[in-house]
Amino acid sequence: MEITVYLLDTNASFYKSNPRNAKYSELFKYFCINQHTGCHFDDIQIGKGEYGKPILQNPSDLFFNISHTEGYSVCVVSEDNIGIDIEKIEMIDFDIAKKYFASAEYQYIMKGKHNN
């Protein structure tokens, strides 16, 4: 199984002036598929699967997935069905858990917080 992971650092001012611009995401997908396969941009066809996940229709023998967070996009291309996720790590506001979770759930979360 060959898996290729591509990371796009969008922290540069060029990207920051247009955060999460859909065009960057679209081009990044095509670039990653092109780099992995050599397939020309015009020949790449992307559709949607049963649950809305993007799927490659051409080339049809590969899979890809893409994820975004503040400052980065990541894309993975593989011969097997695959997924990837990227998230910005931020401090957790535990007051939200206290407000929205049951008391036992909140206590469980707080106990885990202090065991790390």
Side-chain angles (χ1 to χ4, degrees):
M1 169 173 47
E2 182 177 337
I3 299 172
T4 309
V5 179
Y6 301 89
L7 180 67
L8 176 63
D9 181 350
T10 56
N11 282 302
S13 61
F14 173 78
Y15 296 107
K16 286 192 179 258
S17 64
N18 296 297
R20 297 184 188 229
N21 185 317
K23 191 65 175 172
Y24 299 143
S25 175
E26 192 70 17
L27 290 174
F28 185 52
K29 289 187 290 194
Y30 282 80
F31 170 81
C32 297
I33 295 163
N34 164 267
Q35 291 297 297
H36 187 89
T37 65
C39 191
H40 191 274
F41 277 49
D42 293 336
D43 296 329
I44 297 169
Q45 295 176 358
I46 299 173
K48 289 188 178 181
E50 182 179 354
Y51 300 104
K53 181 180 176 181
I55 59 168
L56 275 172
Q57 294 174 324
N58 188 51
S60 61
D61 56 343
L62 292 174
F63 297 89
F64 84 102
N65 196 247
I66 191 164
S67 181
H68 312 277
T69 192
E70 183 181 327
Y72 293 94
S73 292
V74 65
C75 182
V76 62
V77 183
S78 174
E79 297 165 353
D80 293 306
N81 198 353
I82 194 162
I84 195 163
D85 191 27
I86 187 170
E87 295 292 333
K88 180 179 179 186
I89 297 174
E90 297 180 315
M91 296 300 296
I92 297 171
D93 179 0
F94 286 100
D95 289 339
I96 293 172
K98 188 173 189 177
K99 183 176 179 179
Y100 292 103
F101 286 80
S103 179
E105 293 170 323
Y106 176 74
Q107 294 302 320
Y108 179 81
I109 290 168
M110 296 308 291
K111 182 179 177 185
K113 174 186 168 196
H114 296 296
N115 288 335
N116 292 329

